[in-house]
Amino acid sequence: MTHTVRHMNVTHRTVVAGSGSVGSPTVRAAVVGAGFMGRVHAESVRRAGGAVVAVASSSPFTVEAAAETLGADQGYPSVEVLLSDAEIDVLHVCAPNAVHASVTRAALAAGVHVICEKPLATGEDDAAALVAAAAGKIATVPFVYRFHPMIREMRERLAAGEAGFLSTISGGYLQDWLSESTDDDWRVDAELGGPSRAFADIGSHWCDLMEFVTGDRIARLSAQTVVVHERRDTTTEDVATVHFTTVSGVVGTLLVSQVAAGRKNRLHIEVSGTETSFGFDQEDPERLWVGRRKGNLMLLRDPDTLSAPAARYSRLPAGHSQGYQDCFDAFVADTYRAIRGEECADGLPTFADGLRAVRITDAVLRSAADGGEWTEVLP
């Protein structure tokens, strides 16, 4: 199939304050997949001042329903037809993990920018190839927890040296949506979800967040994985535990579970230092715990008192809660600013970050297969 490189539409319109720029070119977006993540992406497109002009569905019989669900102008029976016929600037890839690489390759070959859900690919070679193929394009991965204002505040304070000497990093990501033996989902099937489920799905978010806030990287790790419920012939892990050391020598622990009854989406991280420690819990995102020997503080999300990088993502006044969708909105808005050639804040997660997550996941699986042997993580 021959594709034509498409350029930004010169049509202008006024957009919501804090999302895009007034008078900015309208980014024309298409979404592959109309499930939960597709709906989240579509909502963020609109809030960023973009237009959802197309959606591709896995079945011709659901094309019309997919377009209605996402509020798209047009539905297409396949990615190939969409890329051939639709005039778009960016493709949001929200399909099952196994097709991320092939759909993204096709989009890049068609000359469009890409936002691809993680994992970027289910194998390192494919992920590395996508990084190379994305040269010259805006290509991002939704590690959206980076966009919590209090995460930005933690990052600023760590960079300023407030922690003193970092001693340990700990935390976890706990969910319960697969805690019963009868729970099922396409992600359980390795043919669709890839060789890792719990770690690739949510553990990768924690690792990205840890490396983002500390500026340090996991160098070596020892991992164990556990299958709690046998659901299919190709069942992947429900639980993963990881011990790690960073490049700078800090030691850390991570617990990942999708079978932790009562925990809906608890991503929490604590960075301990000799002078000050910091703790963040995604289920309580309006606060940042600051621990000191002579007394602890609980910082509230208040744009009037936060550092400039944190206040930038504080869209609402103090006392008006922000959450997951706000993070997603900020991520898409920054991606679209980059697409339009405008200046945006640092920290936009790119395909290189997606490749990094795939490499950490690969190291976790290799270590677990070797009985928890310490395993090097590729840079």
Side-chain angles (χ1 to χ4, degrees), residues 18-19 144 146-153 155 212 286 301 303 306-316 322-323 326-335 337 343-349:
S19 55
V144 299
R146 294 183 178 198
F147 293 85
H148 275 298
M150 303 314 286
I151 281 293
R152 296 285 173 146
E153 186 70 15
R155 184 179 186 232
F212 179 69
E286 295 286 283
R301 185 195 57 77
L306 296 177
S307 63
R312 182 183 189 277
Y313 293 102
S314 191
R315 298 173 58 179
L316 301 174
Q322 291 185 201
D326 296 287
C327 290
F328 225 103
D329 295 346
F331 159 73
V332 172
D334 272 8
T335 299
R337 288 187 183 95
E343 184 177 354
C344 60
D346 72 328
L348 188 62

Short mmCIF file of all heavy atoms in Angstrom, two decimals, residues 18-19 144 146-153 155 212 286 301 303 306-316 322-323 326-335 337 343-349:
data_model
loop_
_atom_site.label_atom_id
_atom_site.label_comp_id
_atom_site.label_asym_id
_atom_site.label_seq_id
_atom_site.Cartn_x
_atom_site.Cartn_y
_atom_site.Cartn_z
N GLY A 18 -5.64 26.13 28.96
CA GLY A 18 -4.85 25.17 29.71
C GLY A 18 -4.64 23.86 28.97
O GLY A 18 -3.94 22.98 29.45
N SER A 19 -5.25 23.70 27.78
CA SER A 19 -5.05 22.46 27.03
C SER A 19 -4.20 22.71 25.80
O SER A 19 -3.12 22.20 25.67
CB SER A 19 -6.41 21.86 26.65
OG SER A 19 -7.19 22.80 25.94
N VAL A 144 1.51 8.40 31.98
CA VAL A 144 0.84 9.65 32.35
C VAL A 144 0.97 10.01 33.83
O VAL A 144 0.70 11.16 34.20
CB VAL A 144 -0.66 9.60 31.98
CG1 VAL A 144 -0.83 9.42 30.48
CG2 VAL A 144 -1.39 8.49 32.74
N ARG A 146 3.48 10.65 35.30
CA ARG A 146 4.46 11.74 35.34
C ARG A 146 3.79 13.11 35.46
O ARG A 146 4.44 14.08 35.86
CB ARG A 146 5.30 11.75 34.06
CG ARG A 146 6.20 10.57 33.82
CD ARG A 146 6.98 10.81 32.54
NE ARG A 146 7.94 9.74 32.25
CZ ARG A 146 8.97 9.86 31.40
NH1 ARG A 146 9.15 11.01 30.78
NH2 ARG A 146 9.78 8.85 31.19
N PHE A 147 2.52 13.19 35.08
CA PHE A 147 1.86 14.48 34.96
C PHE A 147 1.04 14.86 36.19
O PHE A 147 0.32 15.86 36.17
CB PHE A 147 1.01 14.51 33.69
CG PHE A 147 1.85 14.45 32.44
CD1 PHE A 147 2.27 13.23 31.92
CD2 PHE A 147 2.27 15.62 31.83
CE1 PHE A 147 3.07 13.18 30.79
CE2 PHE A 147 3.08 15.58 30.70
CZ PHE A 147 3.48 14.35 30.17
N HIS A 148 1.14 14.08 37.26
CA HIS A 148 0.57 14.50 38.54
C HIS A 148 1.39 15.67 39.06
O HIS A 148 2.63 15.58 39.14
CB HIS A 148 0.61 13.37 39.56
CG HIS A 148 -0.54 12.42 39.49
ND1 HIS A 148 -1.84 12.81 39.70
CD2 HIS A 148 -0.57 11.08 39.25
CE1 HIS A 148 -2.64 11.77 39.58
NE2 HIS A 148 -1.90 10.70 39.31
N PRO A 149 0.77 16.77 39.43
CA PRO A 149 1.54 17.90 39.95
C PRO A 149 2.43 17.55 41.13
O PRO A 149 3.57 18.04 41.22
CB PRO A 149 0.45 18.90 40.36
CG PRO A 149 -0.70 18.59 39.48
CD PRO A 149 -0.66 17.10 39.30
N MET A 150 1.95 16.67 42.04
CA MET A 150 2.76 16.36 43.21
C MET A 150 3.94 15.45 42.87
O MET A 150 4.94 15.41 43.60
CB MET A 150 1.89 15.76 44.31
CG MET A 150 0.71 16.66 44.72
SD MET A 150 1.16 18.40 44.96
CE MET A 150 2.03 18.33 46.52
N ILE A 151 3.86 14.72 41.77
CA ILE A 151 5.02 13.99 41.26
C ILE A 151 6.06 14.98 40.76
O ILE A 151 7.27 14.84 41.01
CB ILE A 151 4.60 13.01 40.15
CG1 ILE A 151 3.99 11.75 40.77
CG2 ILE A 151 5.79 12.64 39.26
CD1 ILE A 151 4.96 10.89 41.57
N ARG A 152 5.61 16.01 40.06
CA ARG A 152 6.54 17.04 39.59
C ARG A 152 7.19 17.76 40.77
O ARG A 152 8.37 18.14 40.72
CB ARG A 152 5.80 18.03 38.69
CG ARG A 152 5.27 17.42 37.40
CD ARG A 152 6.35 17.17 36.39
NE ARG A 152 5.86 16.44 35.23
CZ ARG A 152 6.30 16.61 33.98
NH1 ARG A 152 7.25 17.50 33.74
NH2 ARG A 152 5.81 15.89 32.99
N GLU A 153 6.40 17.96 41.84
CA GLU A 153 6.95 18.60 43.04
C GLU A 153 8.02 17.72 43.68
O GLU A 153 9.10 18.21 44.07
CB GLU A 153 5.84 18.89 44.04
CG GLU A 153 6.26 19.68 45.26
CD GLU A 153 6.63 21.12 44.97
OE1 GLU A 153 6.28 21.63 43.87
OE2 GLU A 153 7.26 21.75 45.83
N ARG A 155 9.86 15.50 42.18
CA ARG A 155 11.01 15.51 41.27
C ARG A 155 11.86 16.76 41.48
O ARG A 155 13.10 16.69 41.51
CB ARG A 155 10.50 15.44 39.84
CG ARG A 155 11.57 15.35 38.76
CD ARG A 155 10.91 15.27 37.40
NE ARG A 155 11.85 15.04 36.33
CZ ARG A 155 11.93 15.79 35.23
NH1 ARG A 155 11.12 16.83 35.08
NH2 ARG A 155 12.80 15.50 34.29
N PHE A 212 11.88 8.59 36.55
CA PHE A 212 11.58 9.97 36.22
C PHE A 212 11.79 10.90 37.41
O PHE A 212 12.41 11.96 37.28
CB PHE A 212 10.13 10.08 35.73
CG PHE A 212 9.69 11.47 35.39
CD1 PHE A 212 10.21 12.13 34.29
CD2 PHE A 212 8.73 12.12 36.16
CE1 PHE A 212 9.81 13.42 33.96
CE2 PHE A 212 8.32 13.41 35.85
CZ PHE A 212 8.86 14.06 34.74
N GLU A 286 -3.56 14.37 45.67
CA GLU A 286 -3.52 15.77 46.03
C GLU A 286 -2.46 16.07 47.08
O GLU A 286 -2.25 17.23 47.42
CB GLU A 286 -4.89 16.21 46.57
CG GLU A 286 -6.01 16.17 45.55
CD GLU A 286 -5.90 17.30 44.53
OE1 GLU A 286 -6.24 18.44 44.87
OE2 GLU A 286 -5.45 17.03 43.40
N ARG A 301 -1.72 19.96 47.11
CA ARG A 301 -1.61 20.52 45.76
C ARG A 301 -2.24 21.91 45.74
O ARG A 301 -3.46 22.06 45.73
CB ARG A 301 -2.29 19.62 44.73
CG ARG A 301 -2.09 20.11 43.28
CD ARG A 301 -3.03 19.45 42.31
NE ARG A 301 -4.42 19.64 42.68
CZ ARG A 301 -5.11 20.77 42.48
NH1 ARG A 301 -4.54 21.82 41.93
NH2 ARG A 301 -6.39 20.83 42.84
N PRO A 303 -1.51 25.47 43.60
CA PRO A 303 -0.68 26.14 42.59
C PRO A 303 0.00 27.40 43.11
O PRO A 303 1.01 27.83 42.53
CB PRO A 303 -1.67 26.44 41.46
CG PRO A 303 -3.02 26.35 42.08
CD PRO A 303 -2.90 25.35 43.17
N LEU A 306 3.28 25.68 45.09
CA LEU A 306 4.12 24.67 44.47
C LEU A 306 5.23 25.29 43.62
O LEU A 306 5.16 26.47 43.25
CB LEU A 306 3.28 23.74 43.58
CG LEU A 306 2.22 22.89 44.27
CD1 LEU A 306 1.43 22.09 43.24
CD2 LEU A 306 2.86 21.95 45.29
N SER A 307 6.23 24.49 43.31
CA SER A 307 7.27 24.93 42.39
C SER A 307 6.64 25.16 41.02
O SER A 307 5.56 24.64 40.70
CB SER A 307 8.36 23.85 42.28
OG SER A 307 7.81 22.65 41.74
N ALA A 308 7.32 25.93 40.17
CA ALA A 308 6.77 26.26 38.85
C ALA A 308 6.49 25.02 38.00
O ALA A 308 5.43 24.94 37.36
CB ALA A 308 7.71 27.21 38.12
N PRO A 309 7.38 24.01 37.95
CA PRO A 309 7.08 22.82 37.15
C PRO A 309 5.84 22.07 37.63
O PRO A 309 5.13 21.47 36.82
CB PRO A 309 8.34 21.96 37.31
CG PRO A 309 9.43 22.94 37.60
CD PRO A 309 8.77 23.98 38.47
N ALA A 310 5.59 22.09 38.94
CA ALA A 310 4.40 21.42 39.47
C ALA A 310 3.15 22.27 39.25
O ALA A 310 2.09 21.76 38.87
CB ALA A 310 4.57 21.12 40.96
N ALA A 311 3.28 23.57 39.46
CA ALA A 311 2.14 24.46 39.28
C ALA A 311 1.66 24.47 37.84
O ALA A 311 0.46 24.67 37.57
CB ALA A 311 2.51 25.87 39.72
N ARG A 312 2.56 24.23 36.90
CA ARG A 312 2.18 24.21 35.48
C ARG A 312 1.08 23.19 35.21
O ARG A 312 0.22 23.39 34.34
CB ARG A 312 3.40 23.90 34.62
CG ARG A 312 3.12 23.89 33.12
CD ARG A 312 4.36 23.49 32.34
NE ARG A 312 4.15 23.70 30.92
CZ ARG A 312 3.53 22.83 30.11
NH1 ARG A 312 3.05 21.71 30.62
NH2 ARG A 312 3.37 23.08 28.83
N TYR A 313 1.13 22.06 35.93
CA TYR A 313 0.14 21.00 35.72
C TYR A 313 -0.99 21.03 36.75
O TYR A 313 -1.81 20.11 36.79
CB TYR A 313 0.84 19.64 35.72
CG TYR A 313 1.75 19.48 34.52
CD1 TYR A 313 3.13 19.63 34.64
CD2 TYR A 313 1.22 19.22 33.26
CE1 TYR A 313 3.96 19.52 33.53
CE2 TYR A 313 2.04 19.11 32.15
CZ TYR A 313 3.41 19.25 32.29
OH TYR A 313 4.23 19.15 31.18
N SER A 314 -1.02 22.04 37.55
CA SER A 314 -2.08 22.20 38.54
C SER A 314 -3.19 23.03 37.90
O SER A 314 -3.19 24.27 37.98
CB SER A 314 -1.53 22.87 39.80
OG SER A 314 -2.44 22.80 40.86
N ARG A 315 -4.14 22.37 37.28
CA ARG A 315 -5.14 23.06 36.45
C ARG A 315 -6.25 23.69 37.27
O ARG A 315 -6.91 24.61 36.81
CB ARG A 315 -5.77 22.04 35.47
CG ARG A 315 -4.80 21.44 34.51
CD ARG A 315 -5.43 20.33 33.69
NE ARG A 315 -6.59 20.79 32.93
CZ ARG A 315 -7.30 20.00 32.12
NH1 ARG A 315 -6.96 18.73 32.00
NH2 ARG A 315 -8.34 20.49 31.46
N LEU A 316 -6.46 23.19 38.48
CA LEU A 316 -7.57 23.65 39.31
C LEU A 316 -7.05 24.29 40.59
O LEU A 316 -5.95 23.97 41.05
CB LEU A 316 -8.49 22.48 39.65
CG LEU A 316 -9.12 21.74 38.47
CD1 LEU A 316 -9.89 20.52 38.97
CD2 LEU A 316 -10.03 22.65 37.67
N GLN A 322 -7.78 16.89 41.39
CA GLN A 322 -7.36 16.44 40.06
C GLN A 322 -7.02 14.96 40.14
O GLN A 322 -6.66 14.45 41.19
CB GLN A 322 -6.13 17.23 39.58
CG GLN A 322 -6.39 18.67 39.27
CD GLN A 322 -5.17 19.38 38.68
OE1 GLN A 322 -5.10 20.59 38.74
NE2 GLN A 322 -4.22 18.64 38.12
N GLY A 323 -7.10 14.28 39.00
CA GLY A 323 -6.83 12.85 39.01
C GLY A 323 -6.30 12.32 37.69
O GLY A 323 -5.65 13.04 36.92
N ASP A 326 -7.04 14.00 34.29
CA ASP A 326 -6.28 15.25 34.19
C ASP A 326 -4.84 14.99 33.75
O ASP A 326 -4.27 15.75 32.95
CB ASP A 326 -6.29 15.99 35.52
CG ASP A 326 -7.67 16.42 35.95
OD1 ASP A 326 -8.21 17.37 35.36
OD2 ASP A 326 -8.23 15.79 36.87
N CYS A 327 -4.25 13.91 34.28
CA CYS A 327 -2.89 13.55 33.85
C CYS A 327 -2.87 13.19 32.37
O CYS A 327 -1.97 13.60 31.62
CB CYS A 327 -2.39 12.36 34.67
SG CYS A 327 -2.03 12.73 36.39
N PHE A 328 -3.87 12.41 31.96
CA PHE A 328 -3.93 12.02 30.56
C PHE A 328 -4.12 13.24 29.67
O PHE A 328 -3.51 13.36 28.60
CB PHE A 328 -5.07 11.02 30.34
CG PHE A 328 -4.66 9.86 29.50
CD1 PHE A 328 -4.39 8.63 30.08
CD2 PHE A 328 -4.51 9.98 28.12
CE1 PHE A 328 -3.99 7.55 29.30
CE2 PHE A 328 -4.12 8.92 27.34
CZ PHE A 328 -3.86 7.69 27.93
N ASP A 329 -4.98 14.16 30.10
CA ASP A 329 -5.21 15.38 29.33
C ASP A 329 -3.90 16.15 29.15
O ASP A 329 -3.60 16.67 28.07
CB ASP A 329 -6.23 16.27 30.03
CG ASP A 329 -7.61 15.65 30.10
OD1 ASP A 329 -7.87 14.65 29.39
OD2 ASP A 329 -8.44 16.15 30.89
N ALA A 330 -3.13 16.26 30.24
CA ALA A 330 -1.87 17.01 30.18
C ALA A 330 -0.88 16.33 29.25
O ALA A 330 -0.16 17.00 28.49
CB ALA A 330 -1.29 17.15 31.58
N PHE A 331 -0.82 15.00 29.31
CA PHE A 331 0.08 14.25 28.43
C PHE A 331 -0.27 14.47 26.97
O PHE A 331 0.61 14.76 26.13
CB PHE A 331 0.01 12.76 28.79
CG PHE A 331 0.47 11.86 27.68
CD1 PHE A 331 1.82 11.75 27.36
CD2 PHE A 331 -0.45 11.12 26.95
CE1 PHE A 331 2.24 10.92 26.31
CE2 PHE A 331 -0.04 10.29 25.92
CZ PHE A 331 1.31 10.19 25.60
N VAL A 332 -1.54 14.34 26.62
CA VAL A 332 -1.96 14.52 25.22
C VAL A 332 -1.75 15.97 24.79
O VAL A 332 -1.27 16.24 23.68
CB VAL A 332 -3.42 14.08 25.02
CG1 VAL A 332 -3.92 14.46 23.63
CG2 VAL A 332 -3.55 12.57 25.22
N ALA A 333 -2.07 16.92 25.67
CA ALA A 333 -1.88 18.33 25.33
C ALA A 333 -0.42 18.63 25.04
O ALA A 333 -0.10 19.35 24.08
CB ALA A 333 -2.40 19.21 26.46
N ASP A 334 0.50 18.09 25.85
CA ASP A 334 1.93 18.32 25.61
C ASP A 334 2.38 17.64 24.32
O ASP A 334 3.21 18.18 23.57
CB ASP A 334 2.75 17.81 26.79
CG ASP A 334 2.92 18.86 27.88
OD1 ASP A 334 2.28 19.93 27.78
OD2 ASP A 334 3.69 18.62 28.83
N THR A 335 1.86 16.44 24.04
CA THR A 335 2.19 15.77 22.79
C THR A 335 1.74 16.60 21.60
O THR A 335 2.46 16.76 20.60
CB THR A 335 1.54 14.38 22.73
OG1 THR A 335 2.04 13.56 23.81
CG2 THR A 335 1.86 13.68 21.41
N ARG A 337 1.24 19.84 21.55
CA ARG A 337 2.09 21.02 21.44
C ARG A 337 3.36 20.68 20.64
O ARG A 337 3.82 21.47 19.81
CB ARG A 337 2.46 21.54 22.83
CG ARG A 337 1.31 22.21 23.57
CD ARG A 337 1.79 22.86 24.87
NE ARG A 337 0.68 23.43 25.60
CZ ARG A 337 0.02 22.82 26.57
NH1 ARG A 337 0.39 21.61 26.96
NH2 ARG A 337 -1.00 23.41 27.17
N GLU A 343 6.53 25.03 22.11
CA GLU A 343 7.36 24.67 23.26
C GLU A 343 6.49 24.00 24.33
O GLU A 343 5.38 24.44 24.62
CB GLU A 343 8.01 25.91 23.86
CG GLU A 343 8.97 25.61 25.01
CD GLU A 343 9.65 26.86 25.53
OE1 GLU A 343 9.47 27.94 24.93
OE2 GLU A 343 10.35 26.75 26.55
N CYS A 344 6.98 22.90 24.90
CA CYS A 344 6.28 22.26 26.00
C CYS A 344 7.29 21.89 27.08
O CYS A 344 8.50 21.88 26.84
CB CYS A 344 5.49 21.02 25.54
SG CYS A 344 6.47 19.71 24.79
N ALA A 345 6.79 21.59 28.26
CA ALA A 345 7.67 21.27 29.39
C ALA A 345 8.43 19.98 29.14
O ALA A 345 8.05 19.16 28.29
CB ALA A 345 6.85 21.17 30.66
N ASP A 346 9.51 19.79 29.90
CA ASP A 346 10.26 18.56 29.77
C ASP A 346 9.47 17.41 30.40
O ASP A 346 8.48 17.62 31.08
CB ASP A 346 11.64 18.68 30.44
CG ASP A 346 11.55 18.71 31.96
OD1 ASP A 346 10.55 19.23 32.49
OD2 ASP A 346 12.47 18.19 32.62
N GLY A 347 9.91 16.20 30.12
CA GLY A 347 9.26 15.05 30.73
C GLY A 347 8.25 14.37 29.85
O GLY A 347 7.53 13.47 30.32
N LEU A 348 8.14 14.75 28.58
CA LEU A 348 7.22 14.07 27.68
C LEU A 348 7.77 12.67 27.38
O LEU A 348 8.86 12.53 26.85
CB LEU A 348 7.08 14.86 26.38
CG LEU A 348 6.00 14.40 25.40
CD1 LEU A 348 4.61 14.49 26.02
CD2 LEU A 348 6.07 15.21 24.11
N PRO A 349 7.03 11.60 27.74
CA PRO A 349 7.56 10.23 27.54
C PRO A 349 7.51 9.82 26.08
O PRO A 349 6.46 9.83 25.45
CB PRO A 349 6.62 9.37 28.39
CG PRO A 349 5.36 10.16 28.50
CD PRO A 349 5.73 11.61 28.44
#
